[in-house]
Amino acid sequence: MSELVILVVEDEPEVRAEIVRDLATFTQRIRIDEAESVDDAEAAIADAVESGDRIGLAVVDHRLPGRTGVDLLVALHDDPATRAIRTVLITGQAGHQDTIRAINEAGLDHYIAKPWDPDELVAVAKRLLTDHVVESDLDPLAYVPELDAARLLDHYGEGGSVE
Amino acid sequence: MNGTVARIGAVVATVWFIGVLAIGPQGDLDAPASRMLAVFGAAVVLWITEAIPLWATSILVIIAQVLLISDEAVVGLPAGFEPPPYESIFATLAHPVLMLFLGGFVLADAAAKYRLDRNLAGVMLRPFGTSPAAIIAGLMAITALLSMFVSNTATTAAMMAVVLPVAARLDEGDRLRIALVLSVPVAANVGGVGTPVGSPPNAIVLGRLSEQGEGIDFLRWMIMALPVALVVLVLAWLVLVRMYRSTTASIEVRLGGEFDRGRPAIILYVVFALTVLGWVTEPLHQVPAAIVGFGAVVALTSLRVFTVDDLRRVKWHILWLVGGGIALGNGVSDTGLDTWIIDRIDWSTMPTIVFTVALGLIAIVLSTVISNSATANLIAPIGIGIAVSGVVDVSPLLAGLIIATACSFAMALPVSTPPNAVAYASGWIATRDLAMVGVVVGTIGIATVLFVAAPLWSTLGLL
């Protein structure tokens, strides 16, 4: 069965582990993939696509070795196959220009400054993953316990279900 | 339904359709009836296996009837058979019952848009206090009331959004959680039988009855079906509070908010109230419920309460599903296929009670595994046809009510009906919980209809 995936892109192992730990609340039905660079992230996305899984949310640090996080976000936005992925930029070091580029050229969904508040990260991830499930026509009922139940149930009610 | 079943369904339906057409008339099965047998059998298989979407089967039935048994049939029909005009087959998609349902859909969607449903629920829940048993009674009463006018699925979705956070705050081992999560879909399923617009099987049955000249008005349906729903609700409540005893003394459920006082919302409240009033007072003014319902659509659209975006969200696929069922029933009866099928069985030795129990059981078992509406589409033409033919001493109305209620009372599995799927999605109930409660409530429901309501209806001269 295909899985919904959160992709965490962060080069510092401790920081990455912290993000993954904060997002662990979703892992009953949603998988977390980790990457430490843009190349690594693109390989993870290719892997997921190959096994029929679907990346719903990318949580990306800006300053990475090689290409930047914003470069990745722009690339995701430009490719129709990955445009539905919801994006969070989580960073302390993105300058004004980078941030503007992320918003204008990558349709950034949310910006979180480091150090982050875990509750905020979870709330944002929940909202964006729910957006993704609703807009990508995934089975809304599959994610009721973890995501925004009220919105998922409403969406199910409006869909093609037949009594 | 999974892919394999769907593929098998597509093959079986195609083979049946072509095979029966190729064999053609046999003995007392004449050409029109044999063509209809090809359509009917294929529709049965497609509706059961969901090889194509349920509503696609409905419009497939319509075009098959146009091409095979109408005055525009591609191969000529024998002299002596009066083929129905093809316009009349297409017209089932605008059958009065569908216009009534469209009125129900538009009112329900508009009510959801202005949060009338949730706010009313909040007002009604307040007097029930905070004891778990009372809260469950309150939730069930409100859910059932809403599901009489709003689809069971939408009602469940709205109420479950309130119930889930409450259930989440309970202790891990508190079985009240199961009772809470089950109370909503059970009440929605049962409440749906209360009015003609409560659930699609009601419309399918009403459509078939009216085509047979046995139609009943909105109020008469409520007088007959609502007491059944109330009795079953009370018993279901008892089952839930007995089976899942709570370890919590009091719970708080927050529901609803400020009523919208804007102009469009006020118009909606007035139109909603007037429409329901119009529906239940038909004996006084003789304006059919379909006209009243369609009037509500006209009022809400022309007063700009219901916009073109809202109109796009109307569940047209449900209307098609019902329309195809009505077309199928007409085809089966116009071609005499119903008579041919009825003649296959020796009815003289069959006691009435065996027929009514069998009808209820077949409907409830089939509807447990496939959609309630598809079940009604399949069973209504033959079930009501048998009653109309007079081979058993059962009124068509009773046969229709048995079918409609049995379809709604089938709720033993997550797949039985969307409200169950919603409850199951919470992750807090096991299939076993649903099966146990579903079988008990379903049995209570169908037994109430067969052994309590039916004799009472008969005594009161309602049948």
Side-chain angles (χ1 to χ4, degrees), chain B residues 368-380:
Chain B
T368 299
V369 284
I370 72 167
S371 122
N372 301 355
S373 313
T375 306
N377 275 349
L378 296 179
I379 295 185

Side-chain angles (χ1 to χ4, degrees), chain B residues 347-363:
Chain B
W347 297 92
S348 60
T349 56
M350 186 179 294
T352 309
I353 193 75
V354 173
F355 170 71
T356 54
V357 170
L359 189 61
L361 279 183
I362 293 170

Side-chain angles (χ1 to χ4, degrees), chain B residues 277-427:
Chain B
L277 188 68
W279 278 338
V280 297
T281 53
E282 186 179 330
L284 298 177
H285 52 66
Q286 305 293 332
V287 181
I291 299 177
V292 173
F294 198 73
V297 177
V298 173
L300 292 176
T301 47
S302 43
L303 293 170
R304 299 176 197 278
V305 174
F306 206 76
T307 65
V308 70
D309 283 332
D310 300 324
L311 195 61
R312 247 180 239 125
R313 279 194 287 271
V314 166
K315 296 201 175 55
W316 302 101
H317 65 284
I318 305 283
L319 298 177
W320 281 14
L321 179 59
V322 174
I326 294 172
L328 186 78
N330 287 349
V332 165
S333 121
D334 289 348
T335 58
L337 177 63
D338 50 357
T339 317
W340 182 82
I341 292 174
I342 292 162
D343 287 347
R344 303 301 99 201
I345 297 168
D346 179 12
W347 297 92
S348 60
T349 56
M350 186 179 294
T352 309
I353 193 75
V354 173
F355 170 71
T356 54
V357 170
L359 189 61
L361 279 183
I362 293 170
I364 203 166
V365 169
L366 189 57
S367 176
T368 299
V369 284
I370 72 167
S371 122
N372 301 355
S373 313
T375 306
N377 275 349
L378 296 179
I379 295 185
I382 308 299
I384 294 175
I386 292 169
V388 168
S389 76
V391 291
V392 289
D393 183 24
V394 172
S395 76
L397 179 55
L398 177 58
L401 283 164
I402 290 172
I403 295 168
T405 51
C407 288
S408 285
F409 291 157
M411 51 179 119
L413 296 173
V415 298
S416 295
T417 182
N420 286 16
V422 167
Y424 190 67
S426 70

